[in-house]
């Protein structure tokens, strides 16, 4: 392996990204009994014209990961976020999951997730500057 060179790329090729990810998944799969597979999950709220709320995540290794949750401003405070979370957790249970995790920022909805039973297990200070990023988990 002579003549190795490092490159820093601001706009990497998708094939290059996929190669790194696939090689890591292959490495992980060779060292554990559970396959490194995930299943996407989305719960959406639609009106006659468009999506007005939604949750995006995935299930993997018995866990639900919620990556994004959004409700249109006009619908906030009416329980739609809670319903999205409940439906995602129910779907995750049907897929064999027992746990859920997510992250949120101090300027978003930390209290909302805590009211749903999520507990903080980690915090990044000054991410972004002047704020915190919280990591939460819950048994579902």
């Amino acid at each position: 392996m002579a003549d190795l060179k490092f490159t820093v790329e601001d706009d990497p090729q998708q094939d290059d990204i996929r190669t790194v990810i696939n090689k890591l998944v292959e490495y992980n799969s060779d060292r554990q009994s559970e396959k490194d597979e995930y299943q996407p999950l989305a719960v959406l709220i639609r009106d006659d014209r468009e999506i007005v709320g939604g949750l995006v995540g995935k299930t993997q290794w018995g866990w639900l990961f919620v990556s994004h949750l959004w409700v249109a401003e006009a619908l906030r405070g009416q329980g739609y976020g809670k319903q999205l979370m409940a439906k995602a957790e129910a779907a995750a249970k049907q897929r064999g999951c027992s746990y859920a995790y997510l992250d949120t920022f101090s300027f978003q909805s930390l209290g909302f997730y805590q009211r749903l039973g999520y507990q903080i297990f980690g915090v990044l200070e000054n991410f972004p500057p002047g704020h915190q990023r919280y990591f939460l988990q819950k048994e579902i």
Side-chain angles (χ1 to χ4, degrees):
M1 289 197 154
D3 298 329
L4 297 177
K5 71 177 184 177
F6 289 82
T7 60
V8 177
E9 302 178 18
D10 293 331
D11 188 20
Q13 298 293 314
Q14 288 300 313
D15 286 346
D16 294 342
I17 293 169
R18 180 67 16 219
T19 295
V20 172
I21 293 169
N22 286 343
K23 294 297 184 180
L24 178 60
V25 168
E26 181 182 308
Y27 176 88
N28 291 346
S29 294
D30 289 346
R31 285 154 183 79
Q32 61 180 344
S33 59
E34 291 284 327
K35 290 189 87 173
D36 188 1
E37 296 178 340
Y38 70 90
Q39 185 175 0
L41 176 68
V43 182
L44 304 172
I45 305 171
R46 301 174 189 268
D47 67 11
D48 294 340
R49 302 178 324 251
E50 61 190 352
I51 294 173
V52 296
L55 178 151
V56 177
K58 67 179 180 179
T59 55
Q60 181 180 27
W61 291 326
W63 285 78
L64 164 65
F65 171 58
V66 177
S67 62
H68 298 84
L69 174 68
W70 167 78
V71 175
E73 196 137 353
L75 299 176
R76 292 181 188 166
Q78 299 176 47
Y80 292 107
K82 183 177 180 179
Q83 290 179 62
L84 287 167
M85 292 294 292
K87 290 181 185 306
E89 290 173 5
K93 282 184 179 181
Q94 288 181 329
R95 295 179 181 187
C97 294
S98 299
Y99 307 96
Y101 72 106
L102 54 86
D103 62 86
T104 191
F105 295 97
S106 55
F107 54 85
Q108 290 180 327
S109 300
L110 177 62
F112 167 77
Y113 295 116
Q114 290 176 311
R115 286 189 296 278
L116 296 179
Y118 284 80
Q119 297 179 340
I120 297 170
F121 69 86
V123 180
L124 290 177
E125 295 294 335
N126 289 309
F127 189 87
H131 296 279
Q132 298 78 37
R133 185 174 187 175
Y134 293 96
F135 297 86
L136 299 99
Q137 66 182 8
K138 173 183 174 179
E139 188 170 336
I140 57 175

